[in-house]
Amino acid sequence: MSDQQQQVEFSGLVLGFCSAALSYMGFGDSSAPRNLALAKQNIDILGLLAEKTKGNLSEEEERLLKDALLDLKTKYTDQQKNS
């Protein structure tokens, strides 16, 4: 890998899926159409990631993933109720 290329960090991967899920739920850019199915898909991917990496993450990475999932699931449930 050259110096100009950035290594993908685990936190960046998690935050990318979080950002996508939030966007699909209608948070952020108000011009983007809401799509709860795609939001759930991103949340499910994070859940799968949590399951498959269990015991192989640093405390910080594990906390980030756990907190992100909790926050996204709460927001998703709220969005479903408001649909």
Side-chain angles (χ1 to χ4, degrees):
M1 182 177 286
S2 73
D3 291 339
Q4 293 179 344
Q5 292 177 324
Q6 289 185 333
Q7 182 179 354
V8 175
E9 297 285 332
F10 184 79
S11 60
L13 179 68
V14 171
L15 294 174
F17 282 113
C18 288
S19 178
L22 289 169
S23 177
Y24 289 130
M25 284 189 273
F27 297 97
D29 185 4
S30 61
S31 67
R34 209 167 69 132
N35 188 328
L36 292 182
L38 288 176
K40 183 166 182 351
Q41 182 180 37
N42 279 271
I43 295 167
D44 290 346
I45 290 169
L46 285 172
L48 179 64
L49 191 61
E51 180 183 317
K52 295 294 184 181
T53 58
K54 194 170 203 158
N56 197 31
L57 298 174
S58 69
E59 287 182 33
E60 184 178 301
E61 292 168 334
E62 192 172 325
R63 186 174 42 251
L64 172 66
L65 188 51
K66 179 183 171 188
D67 291 348
L69 275 168
L70 179 61
D71 183 54
L72 289 172
K73 287 178 179 180
T74 300
K75 283 180 171 58
Y76 178 79
T77 301
D78 290 345
Q79 290 295 310
Q80 276 190 311
K81 290 177 185 176
N82 295 330
S83 291

